[in-house]
Amino acid sequence: MKDLNVERTQKLLSRIMEFELAGVVRYTHYSLMVAGPNRIPIVQFMQAQASESLLHAQQAGEILTGLGGHPTLQIAPIDETYRHAVKDILEESAAHEARALKLYKELLDEVDDCSVYLEEFARTQIAAEEMHSLELRKMLRDIAVGVAGLLHHHHDDKADADDKARQQTRAREKAARDEALKHASAKKGDKKKADKKMADKKADKKADKKADKKMADKKADKKADKKADKKADKKMADKKADKKKTDKKTDKKADKKADKKAG
């Protein structure tokens, strides 16, 4: 199997989640605007579609977060045509389902031969969207709306253009975030470099201070040694002087004794 491109898969799941959440709003709106003798079954169908869209959004979000992505707080753009006849509502619903089908097929192409689970998820969703499209075709058959026209509805083209514009906006925002992150990283690197330079300077200063102290201690030791030598020399000189004095005294006594003996 091939390696899954997680980033592209996350983007597709995020788009699907936005689109399904838009479906919740769209089908809820339709269920409130349906009028006429067939209102009740159509309202029930639209409410069921809204509930299913929410379930699909939750499923896509669970997979997205499982892949390490961040679930969106946005929904896909929704056009308000202000046309609420049953025919118009069903046509717009069919166009919406065709667009959803296209998104799930894109997901299947992306995860094909990369993840069995994601393949099965995409295939299951494609089957569900195709079933919805078939139901809408049957509902539209009674009011003489052609199937071919539904598959190329102008709302689908506009949705594609809006989706592309949103992707471009996101790409620009991501580029801006990356640039800001790069700038912050560079600034952090400069600060780290400056801090290191300051630390080195302090270390050098400390080393110089230590060297000065060592030199001062050496001088003090030398001075102490010199003083000790001087003291020892003085002691030796005093000792010599005392000896000389004693010798002189002894000589004097000997001379005196010799004189006495001679007399």
Side-chain angles (χ1 to χ4, degrees):
M1 295 183 75
K2 299 181 294 184
D3 291 334
L4 179 68
N5 189 316
V6 176
E7 186 178 354
R8 285 205 298 263
T9 304
Q10 286 176 348
K11 287 180 180 178
L12 277 169
L13 287 167
S14 184
R15 287 168 58 196
I16 287 170
M17 188 176 175
E18 290 178 4
F19 197 79
E20 292 289 8
L21 289 173
V24 176
V25 178
R26 181 186 292 276
Y27 286 122
T28 300
H29 177 74
Y30 290 161
S31 72
L32 297 171
M33 299 306 299
V34 173
N38 297 320
R39 179 179 184 278
I40 292 176
I42 295 176
V43 167
Q44 291 173 345
F45 175 78
M46 293 299 172
Q47 289 174 341
Q49 291 296 94
S51 297
E52 189 169 312
S53 291
L54 179 58
L55 177 61
H56 289 175
Q58 290 169 339
Q59 289 173 333
E62 288 289 351
I63 298 172
L64 174 63
T65 52
L67 291 174
H70 185 273
T72 180
L73 291 175
Q74 299 174 327
I75 65 172
I78 306 172
D79 293 332
E80 172 57 272
T81 62
Y82 296 99
R83 296 197 301 270
H84 300 119
V86 173
K87 170 180 173 293
D88 295 322
I89 287 174
L90 294 178
E91 284 180 339
E92 291 174 12
S93 297
H96 178 80
E97 293 299 325
R99 177 65 183 143
L101 183 61
K102 183 178 178 182
L103 280 173
Y104 283 114
K105 284 183 176 179
E106 286 181 28
L107 177 64
L108 179 59
D109 290 340
E110 181 60 43
V111 303
D112 185 36
D113 198 30
C114 295
S115 168
V116 174
Y117 173 70
L118 290 176
E119 275 188 50
E120 290 304 313
F121 169 74
R123 292 181 193 280
T124 300
Q125 300 305 87
I126 288 170
E129 298 302 335
E130 287 179 344
M131 180 62 72
H132 296 158
S133 295
L134 289 173
E135 290 293 335
L136 287 165
R137 291 183 191 186
K138 289 180 182 180
M139 294 168 75
L140 281 164
R141 198 172 295 162
D142 284 345
I143 48 180
V145 177
V147 174
L150 295 175
L151 299 178
H152 302 285
H153 198 277
H154 69 279
H155 287 294
D156 189 34
D157 293 337
K158 190 173 188 307
D160 284 340
D162 289 341
D163 191 52
K164 186 175 181 181
R166 285 163 68 85
Q167 288 184 45
Q168 290 174 345
T169 300
R170 286 180 182 175
R172 287 195 296 270
E173 289 174 350
K174 185 177 183 300
R177 286 196 302 270
D178 290 345
E179 184 64 28
L181 188 63
K182 185 178 178 183
H183 181 69
S185 180
K187 194 172 180 181
K188 189 176 180 182
D190 291 340
K191 187 177 183 302
K192 194 173 180 181
K193 193 174 180 181
D195 290 344
K196 187 178 182 301
K197 191 174 180 181
M198 181 64 73
D200 291 342
K201 194 173 181 181
K202 284 183 179 179
D204 291 341
K205 194 173 180 181
K206 192 174 180 180
D208 291 341
K209 196 173 180 181
K210 193 174 180 181
D212 291 341
K213 187 177 181 302
K214 191 175 181 181
M215 182 65 73
D217 291 341
K218 194 173 181 181
K219 284 182 178 179
D221 291 341
K222 193 173 180 181
K223 190 174 181 180
D225 291 341
K226 193 173 181 181
K227 191 174 180 181
D229 290 343
K230 192 173 181 181
K231 191 174 181 181
D233 290 343
K234 186 176 181 300
K235 191 174 181 181
M236 182 64 74
D238 291 342
K239 195 174 181 181
K240 283 182 178 180
D242 290 343
K243 188 176 185 298
K244 190 174 180 182
K245 194 174 179 181
T246 301
D247 291 345
K248 190 175 180 182
K249 196 174 181 181
T250 302
D251 291 341
K252 194 174 180 181
K253 281 182 179 181
D255 290 343
K256 194 174 179 182
K257 191 176 181 181
D259 291 339
K260 190 176 182 182
K261 191 176 181 182

